[in-house]
């Protein structure tokens, strides 16, 4: 008998393709990229970044120990100066006080002392406002300082440490320059001045030693420094006439001739070269100018 061959219907099944681990990694990366690009705009944005393009102002409400509340609105910087750096708004609120005393009259000590408290801020270096560019830089720097301190106050508010901070600067010698005083009069009419003075002869000696300590070229004999400062030199007896500089504070009208002559009088530097002058240098000043006491101190530190 012929063998019986039985046939059964069979299904030709395709085996699933196998993906290598490299292809799977690329596929997953593609999916994540699509989700990130298309879906990130649908995610909720945190409050700190919402409406970031809107101009904002910062309001400071502080209370001091005398229960005196003060509210200060800090506008955006662009509302204070234009693109050319010109002041276009009120900036008087930015400066509470200025240490404008004469050089070598305790200005650095006072700055460092006031910066030890939490209620005052004085810029760490001398900050003189002599021209328009200085004023622009002041607004930029102190606007940032005001905002920074305001942020610190918000953090400390819950700890009941919120205090009115007084902002100041140090610039010795403002009273020598009438233009500086006009800037304060125009932009900072409410700023309080702190003026330190000392004996004119002691001041001259200290300032001379200070300049020598900074390796500034000065004549060995101080007799040539009597009178006005020449060739942009800072040391001269004319700068020791503190009363003339203090007159720029305008505490008196300065309209009567008698008062003007009393404060300024005949310019004494022209009389020093005249042996027959009726206004010779004071004996104490002549004694210092003829001594060797003004030489650089051995330890290298000025008074």
């Amino acid at each position: 008998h012929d063998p019986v061959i039985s046939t059964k219907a069979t299904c030709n099944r395709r085996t699933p393709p196998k993906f290598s681990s490299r292809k799977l990694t690329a596929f997953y990366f593609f999916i994540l990229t699509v989700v990130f690009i298309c879906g990130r705009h649908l995610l909720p944005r945190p409050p700190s970044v919402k409406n970031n393009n809107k101009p904002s102002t910062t309001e400071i409400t502080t209370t001091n120990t005398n229960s005196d509340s003060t509210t200060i609105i800090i506008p955006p910087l662009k509302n204070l100066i234009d693109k050319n750096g010109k002041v276009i708004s009120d900036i008087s609120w930015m400066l509470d006080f200025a240490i404008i005393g004469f050089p070598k009259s305790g200005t650095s000590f006072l700055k460092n002392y006031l910066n030890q408290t939490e209620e005052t801020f004085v810029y760490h270096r001398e900050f003189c406002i002599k021209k328009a560019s200085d004023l622009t830089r002041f607004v930029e720097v102190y606007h940032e300082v005001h905002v920074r301190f305001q942020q610190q106050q918000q953090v400390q508010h819950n700890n009941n440490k919120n205090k009115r901070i007084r902002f100041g600067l140090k610039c010795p010698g403002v009273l020598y320059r009438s233009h500086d005083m006009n800037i304060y009069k125009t932009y900072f009419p409410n700023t309080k001045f702190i003026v330190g003075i000392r004996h004119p002869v002691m001041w001259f000696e200290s300032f001379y030693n200070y300049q020598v300590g900074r390796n500034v070229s000065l004549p060995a004999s101080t007799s040539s420094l009597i009178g006005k400062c020449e060739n942009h030199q800072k040391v001269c007896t004319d700068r020791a006439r503190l009363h003339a500089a203090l007159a720029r504070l305008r505490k008196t009208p300065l309209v009567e001739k008698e008062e003007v002559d009393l404060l300024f009088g005949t310019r004494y530097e022209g009389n020093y070269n005249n042996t027959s002058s009726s206004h010779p240098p004071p004996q104490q000043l002549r004694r210092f100018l003829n001594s060797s006491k003004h030489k650089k101190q051995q330890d290298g530190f000025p008074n």
Side-chain angles (χ1 to χ4, degrees), residues 32-48:
L32 291 175
T33 303
V34 172
V35 171
F36 176 77
I37 294 177
C38 299
R40 68 186 182 93
H41 298 289
L42 302 178
L43 298 176
R45 303 179 71 185
S48 60

Side-chain angles (χ1 to χ4, degrees), residues 264-278:
F264 302 99
T266 304
R267 301 292 289 189
Y268 63 80
E269 58 269 16
N271 296 327
Y272 282 155
N273 297 325
N274 185 356
T275 57
S276 62
S277 171
S278 60

Side-chain angles (χ1 to χ4, degrees), residues 52-272:
N52 198 31
N53 296 327
K54 294 183 179 180
S56 61
T57 59
T58 304
E59 179 174 325
I60 304 176
T61 303
T62 60
T63 305
N64 59 21
T65 56
N66 296 326
S67 300
D68 181 19
S69 60
T70 304
T71 301
I72 299 178
I73 305 298
I74 302 182
L77 183 60
K78 65 179 182 180
N79 289 1
L80 300 177
I81 54 177
D82 61 16
K83 61 181 181 180
N84 297 320
K86 182 180 179 181
V87 175
I88 57 176
S89 183
D90 175 38
I91 59 173
S92 61
W93 54 270
M94 304 185 77
L95 188 64
D96 296 296
F97 65 93
I99 306 172
I100 62 171
F102 299 94
K104 310 308 298 175
S105 298
T107 54
S108 296
F109 169 81
L110 188 56
K111 170 185 69 70
N112 296 333
Y113 181 80
L114 291 175
N115 274 336
Q116 293 178 9
T117 74
E118 297 180 353
E119 301 179 22
T120 53
F121 169 85
V122 185
Y123 195 70
H124 63 282
R125 300 179 61 183
E126 291 185 6
F127 207 125
C128 296
I129 307 176
K130 302 179 182 179
K131 51 186 182 296
S133 59
D134 297 333
L135 187 63
T136 301
R137 178 171 170 264
F138 168 84
V139 175
E140 294 172 343
V141 172
Y142 273 69
H143 182 272
E144 188 275 332
V145 170
H146 274 273
V147 173
R148 172 158 48 89
F149 273 89
Q150 184 272 339
Q151 293 171 348
Q152 294 177 1
Q153 286 183 328
Q154 287 183 342
V155 174
Q156 298 174 351
H157 181 69
N158 294 331
N159 298 329
N160 197 24
K161 294 182 179 180
N162 201 15
K163 296 181 179 180
R164 169 76 165 96
I165 299 177
R166 308 290 178 177
F167 295 87
L169 58 77
K170 168 204 168 185
C171 180
V174 169
L175 295 175
Y176 289 130
R177 301 178 293 269
S178 58
H179 180 68
D180 291 29
M181 296 300 298
N182 290 333
I183 291 179
Y184 280 98
K185 180 180 178 181
T186 303
Y187 297 100
F188 308 105
N190 301 320
T191 297
K192 306 298 183 181
F193 290 156
I194 301 177
V195 181
I197 59 175
R198 63 190 300 184
H199 192 287
V201 176
M202 298 299 101
W203 174 88
F204 182 89
E205 179 182 359
S206 178
F207 194 52
Y208 182 96
N209 289 334
Y210 171 73
Q211 295 295 331
V212 171
R214 296 177 63 240
N215 295 321
V216 175
S217 178
L218 291 172
S221 174
T222 52
S223 298
S224 59
L225 299 178
I226 297 175
K228 293 182 179 180
C229 293
E230 298 179 353
N231 301 323
H232 303 286
Q233 193 166 268
K234 295 183 178 180
V235 182
C236 63
T237 58
D238 189 66
R239 298 193 72 184
R241 300 172 70 245
L242 308 184
H243 63 281
L246 289 170
R248 289 200 170 98
L249 292 174
R250 308 294 294 186
K251 293 300 183 181
T252 58
L254 292 177
V255 293
E256 297 181 3
K257 184 178 183 303
E258 181 181 0
E259 181 184 14
V260 174
D261 290 342
L262 180 63
L263 286 172
F264 302 99
T266 304
R267 301 292 289 189
Y268 63 80
E269 58 269 16
N271 296 327
Y272 282 155

